[in-house]
Each structure stands twice: as structure tokens, then as C-alpha cells.
Amino acid sequence: MNDGIAIELDDIVKSFGDVNAVDHVSMQIRDGEFFSMLGPSGCGKTTTLRMIAGFEFPTSGRLKIHGKEMGNTPPYRRPVNTVFQSYALFPHMTVAQNVAFGLEMKRVPKEQIKERVQKALELVRLPTFGDRYPRQMSGGQQQRVALARALVNEPEVLLLDEPLGALDQKLRKEMQFELKRIQEELGITFIFVTHDQEEALTMSDRIAVMNAGRVLQIGTPTEIYERPNCRFVADFIGESNFIEGTVRASNGQYATIETSDGLEMQGYTEQPVSVGSSVVLSLRPEKARLSTVNGNNSQKHEANTFPAKVERVSYIGSDTRIIVRLASGRTIDVWEQNTRSTLDRDAYWQPGEAAILSCSVENALILTS
Amino acid sequence: MAIETVPPPASHEALSQQRRARERLKVFGLVFPGLFWLTFFFALPLVVIFIYSFLTPGPRGDVVWIFTFDNYARLFTESLFVNAYIRSIWLGILTTVICLIIGYPLAVFIAQAPPRWRTILLFMVLIPFWTNFLVRTYAWMIILQNNGLINWIVTSLGFPRLSLMNTQTAVLIGLVYGELPFMVLPLYASIDRFDFTLMQAASDLGASKFRAFTRVMLPLTMPGIAAGSVLVFIPTVGQFVVSDLLGGAKVDMLGNLLQRLFTRANPPNWPLGSALALMFMLVLMILIVFYFRSTTEDDR
């Protein structure tokens, strides 16, 4: 068939006036992949999606779908279909007529249309809703109709523009699961645009994190979370303590940094850093550890160990979130999982308590700023 | 604590009955002015016209109380009337269609303009109403006449002079000019409510621009098209000012005949005029019912 690449963006720029909404973006999206574009609003993810759909054309750069250069090909001649954020269902048509629309445009024989529409409605679990009008359905059901209307055309790539944005939390979770099931069932490439990091992490095979029109990092959810390549990615996905400092010693993938408040910390880095350069160290709250001063824990022997004082404690059920203050005055967030079921007051940290904060070298990621 | 006197429970029903009577009086009070107006200025004259249409015209413009179908028979047999019917309806249809063809893209343009421009453009559509319609029609005479603006342009470009005045074309131009705002405004209201992402959705699903328009935008803006068409068609068919001024006596529409039968003819013929007016109303009503049936069926 081809080299397994569904969509190829090669140095795409899209400018509106003086602003580059999409700024030299290149990426390859593989066949059968669930690919997410994640970023804050205005980062260029939707514009990128709209260029793949054909609603916008790149100012420069090349866009290929299954090896075919798209150039100025209009949307109705592209082998992709879109699920719109607002669903964009035709209000004057029934659900069945909505779903049949694409097939009618391709002049598929009538009997075949009926059969395929029914199959599509079964796929999204609305087999008996064909005669309803969109306005007679709930948001979640309309969302499914929009999905069926796109999928019935058997697109090579399905584009989803924040499709779950308008749904409430519970329905969202349900549809996330549903989308993933359908994608696995059909094996179609899904390109999913979202600003919700959790949504992107749960569903995607790979994620492209975007900001200000640029792609910052492309990788699997684990890579993006565990090995962010810059401060923005570490900050946007999950939470992180950021500690700025200067490199004092460097040894391949390990380096020692000194912070402005006089701390010395050892961290891990993917790319070697040079001595004297300023960097930022990222420490995830759930990867920092807190132990009692007179306890006998192995953590005390970890590379980074600092005396600290518990300042604030928030119990949120599954976790306890603690803010500790170091001797230098700096505060660090620490999350501890509540693995023991107990009402014993001593089992939880109390404000004012003295503690030892520690983290392993591997968990202190050095990012070049 | 003060003890209040509680009314005996029996009076409860009487009270609510009183209240209902008062309520009814209030509703009647609100409806009465409109009802009065419609009865005395619409229904009664219509009854008079209906009765007159079956009477015999008298020698001095009066009526003789002899029942006859002659007036109606004349309408269907004399070419003067038959032609005026056909011409009026034909001009009505032409005006409506031309207004639609000009008005629809204009309404789309206004609806898609930036908000600040939208107000200005809508205002520009309404500006002609600030001048009396008769004056504006006289202005068209100046534009269209043999030594008028159009012919000045045509001849200075080296083309032969056009004779536009007193033709059906001149009447049509005047009609379209006068009625266009009545088409644009309801269309704008309808198109402004139209969600243009639906056009993208159609395009995404394989529809060309033309098919997206006919399958999605046209049916969804049909209420505006229907409203605009009725607002243009009905006054156009009854027009007599434009056809009188720009058509001379050569392009007679129903309105011209009506005006002549009731006022200018010597002697005036009210029974025939009444029959003409009633027939005219009937034809219009039938046309409009058919039109509404055909346009609103898909749009439940």
C-alpha cells in the first residue's frame, strides 16, 4: 500500500495577516494510529486539523495524505472526514438522512446506503434512532450521530476537533472509551484535537504537544509525561516543581546543578548539558518523597535529600497533597498516595512537622530552558 | 395577636368566578380595538364589494339592484382583463425571482460582513425608504427616459439610443428597485441565523459548493425565501404607480384597471371593479397557499 504514513506535514506555515497561526510544523502520522494534538487554545492545533481537512490551505509547506500531495484539493475531494466541535448536524434532516448524506454525495446505490447507515448507527450504539431529528436528542447522542456520519464514509483518516468539549464530565469519560473502542475496531487513523491533557493521555498512541503555532514534542503518553523535552511540556502535562539553577558538573546523562538559593541537586538529562549553562530542574510532586526525621528509611540515602518543614496538607482522598518549605525558604509540592486505610492521625502529615524531602536522580529531570 | 376575620369557605367559589369574569373583560378590552378595526375597515368593505360584484352598473356610476354574473363573465372573456391578469402575475413572478437572485447574495454578503459593517450595510438597504416612493419612481423616469442618464452613458460610449420608457422592462426595473428591500430583510434574518459550519460539514462529506448550497443552505433558509417572496409578490401584483409612471398606459397591470374602473372611467363601473378585485384576491390566495405548501414541506 504505502510506507505506513497516513498524513505527512512538511514544514507547514499558516499565517493570518502578520501572525503565524501554524509556524513551521512538520509531523508524520502513522496508519491506524490514535494521534492527538494537544495544546492551549490558540496554539495552532485546530488550524492544523483544518488544513488536513481542507478548510484552510497552508501559506507554505507541503501536506500529503497517504503519499498524495493535497495542494489546493478542496475538502470534498479528500479521503478524510471531520467530527466538528459543534457536531454541525443538519437540523432539517433526520439522523438517518444525516448519516446517509456523504454516501448520497458519492452516489452510492440506495439499498447499499440504507444498509451502511444502519451499520454505522449500530457502531455508535444508536440503532433505533434513525427517524429522529437531531434536536430531539441529547448532546451525547448528537455526538454519536456526528461520529456515525463521518465514519459511514469509511475515511482513511478521521479528524476530531475537540469533539468532547461540550459534554459533561461523566459523558466525556464514556465517550473517550467509546471512541477508543471504535478506533480499535475499525483500525482507522484518528487525529484528535484537544486541550485536555488527561483526555490526550488516556486515548492516544502518540501526542503532539503544541504551543504558539509550533510542535514542541511528539511522543507516546509515557514519553511526554516522563521525559518532557522542555519546561512548557512538563508544565502543561501534569504538574511539576520547577527549580532553576546553573550546571556545576556534568557527566553524560547526569549533572549537578546549583540553585540561586544555594541548593545542590543532582538530576537526569536526555541531552548532555555544558557546565555553566542555566537549566531548569523538573520534579513531579508524586515523585518527590517525604520521610520522618528520625525514621530509618532508605530514601535518606538518595542523592537529593533536604531537611524540610511541612507547611500545608490537603487530604483529597486518593492522595494527600503536601507543601513543604526547605531551609532556604523554597516551597515544594509533594503528593503521597494514601495506600493504607486508617483513621490514625499519626499516619498523616501535620502542618509544622519536620521532615526529610528526597528524590532520586532519575526523577529530577534537567530541562534546558 | 390580632385575630383576623376569615371569610366563610362558601364564598370561595363565588370569588373565583368573579375573578374569571374580570379576566374575561380584560381580554375583551385588549382584543376589542383590533377587532373593531378589522370588522369596520376590512370585513365590512369586503362584504360590500362582494355584494356589488353581483349587481348591475347604473348609467351614472351608481349600481342597480339587479343580480347578475355578467361582471365575472366579462373578466374571463374580455382580453383587456385576461391580459392584465397574466401580465400582473407574470411581472409579479419576474420581480420576485429577480429580487431573489439579487437579494440572496446581498443578504449573504451582509450576514458575513464584520458586525460593524453589518449595521451600516443594513442601514443602506433601508435608506431609500426615507424618500417618498412616488418621488423615487419619478427619479427612475429621469434615469430611463430618452435623454436620461442611461441613454447619456450609452450614447457617449458610441452605442445607439435605447428606448426604455413606457416598456415592460422599465416597469420591471421600477418594481425590482422598489421591492428589493422587502426581499433582503427577511432573507438577511434567515441567513444570519444560518450556521455556516454546516456548509463545511457538507463539503467535508463530499458535497460540492453547489450541492452543499442546494441540500443544506437553501432548505434551511427557505423560511426567509418564502417570507421575502410573499412580501415582494403581493404588493407587486397590485402595483399601479410604477406601471402608470414608467409604463405609460401601455403596460396595464390589475391595479391600473382597478383604479380606472373605480375612479377614472366615465361612468365609473363599481360592480365590474368589485368583481375584478375579488377575483384578484382569490387568485393571489390560491397562489400563496400553493407556494407555502411547496416551500415549507421539508422544513417542519
Side-chain angles (χ1 to χ4, degrees), chain A residues 129-143:
Chain A
F129 285 70
D131 292 330
R132 297 244 197 136
Y133 281 89
R135 64 170 174 278
Q136 301 168 326
M137 305 175 84
S138 70
Q141 289 168 336
Q142 290 186 25
Q143 169 68 73

Side-chain angles (χ1 to χ4, degrees), chain A residues 161-262:
Chain A
D161 182 11
E162 305 224 17
L164 309 181
L167 303 181
D168 63 56
Q169 194 57 33
K170 192 160 171 282
L171 215 53
R172 251 178 118 105
K173 287 263 154 57
E174 214 176 288
M175 278 307 291
Q176 285 175 12
F177 182 75
E178 197 76 0
L179 276 175
K180 193 69 190 158
R181 173 185 68 84
I182 289 169
Q183 194 257 339
E184 274 160 12
E185 208 171 304
L186 301 178
I188 297 178
T189 313
F190 274 37
I191 304 181
F192 189 90
V193 160
T194 181
H195 64 265
D196 183 330
Q197 41 132 337
E198 195 185 315
E199 203 163 272
L201 290 176
T202 24
M203 301 207 287
S204 319
D205 295 317
R206 285 195 308 152
I207 300 170
V209 184
M210 296 181 71
N211 187 37
R214 291 172 176 274
V215 174
L216 300 177
Q217 187 174 6
I218 300 179
T220 63
T222 334
E223 283 166 356
I224 297 281
Y225 188 81
E226 304 296 349
R227 292 287 178 267
N229 65 358
C230 63
R231 182 174 179 158
F232 181 87
V233 174
D235 197 19
F236 193 74
I237 321 258
E239 282 181 46
S240 224
N241 295 292
F242 292 108
I243 301 156
E244 277 152 25
T246 313
V247 178
R248 285 286 168 252
S250 174
N251 172 21
Q253 303 206 288
Y254 299 95
T256 307
I257 71 159
E258 193 191 329
T259 66
S260 55
D261 53 334

Side-chain angles (χ1 to χ4, degrees), chain A residues 50 55 75-76 80-82 84 86 88-93 101-102 104-105 107 133 135 149 153, chain B residues 195 197-209 211-212 215-217 219-220 298-300:
Chain A
R50 288 172 61 80
F55 301 136
Y76 55 90
V80 300
N81 285 113
T82 309
F84 292 84
S86 59
L89 296 176
F90 305 127
H92 59 305
M93 298 184 195
F101 190 87
E104 273 172 41
M105 292 301 119
R107 301 186 199 284
Y133 281 89
R135 64 170 174 278
R149 186 178 68 173
N153 305 292
Chain B
D195 175 10
T197 11
L198 294 180
M199 294 297 275
Q200 287 183 358
S203 180
D204 185 72
L205 292 166
S208 61
K209 282 218 167 84
R211 293 183 90 194
R215 290 291 306 273
V216 177
M217 191 163 172
L220 285 172
D298 293 338
D299 191 60
R300 265 166 293 175

Side-chain angles (χ1 to χ4, degrees), chain B residues 70-178:
Chain B
D70 267 9
N71 302 318
Y72 287 97
R74 282 185 68 186
L75 294 185
F76 290 100
T77 50
E78 288 182 24
S79 63
L80 177 72
F81 299 112
V82 177
N83 285 345
Y85 266 109
I86 294 172
R87 177 178 291 128
S88 291
I89 289 166
W90 174 237
L91 278 175
I93 292 171
L94 268 185
T95 305
T96 309
V97 170
I98 294 171
C99 280
L100 248 177
I101 292 170
I102 300 172
Y104 202 96
L106 185 61
V108 172
F109 176 75
I110 297 175
Q112 293 206 306
R116 198 161 44 93
W117 272 100
R118 230 177 285 166
T119 322
I120 296 170
L121 289 169
L122 276 178
F123 184 68
M124 279 164 69
V125 171
L126 294 174
I127 275 187
F129 289 131
W130 291 17
T131 313
N132 183 287
F133 184 64
L134 209 59
V135 174
R136 286 183 282 142
T137 308
Y138 275 115
W140 272 104
M141 288 175 80
I142 296 167
I143 295 171
L144 295 173
Q145 70 196 351
N146 278 350
N147 302 315
L149 184 69
I150 290 182
N151 272 321
W152 180 74
I153 294 168
V154 166
T155 48
S156 56
L157 287 174
F159 293 102
R161 194 176 291 278
L162 301 167
S163 74
L164 291 165
M165 275 304 290
N166 305 334
T167 61
Q168 190 160 306
T169 313
V171 175
L172 193 61
I173 290 172
L175 289 172
V176 169
Y177 162 76

Side-chain angles (χ1 to χ4, degrees), chain A residues 280-293:
Chain A
V280 61
L281 193 139
S282 156
L283 171 62
R284 299 277 188 204
E286 79 278 8
K287 293 187 168 75
R289 292 207 269 190
L290 219 49
S291 43
T292 49
V293 181

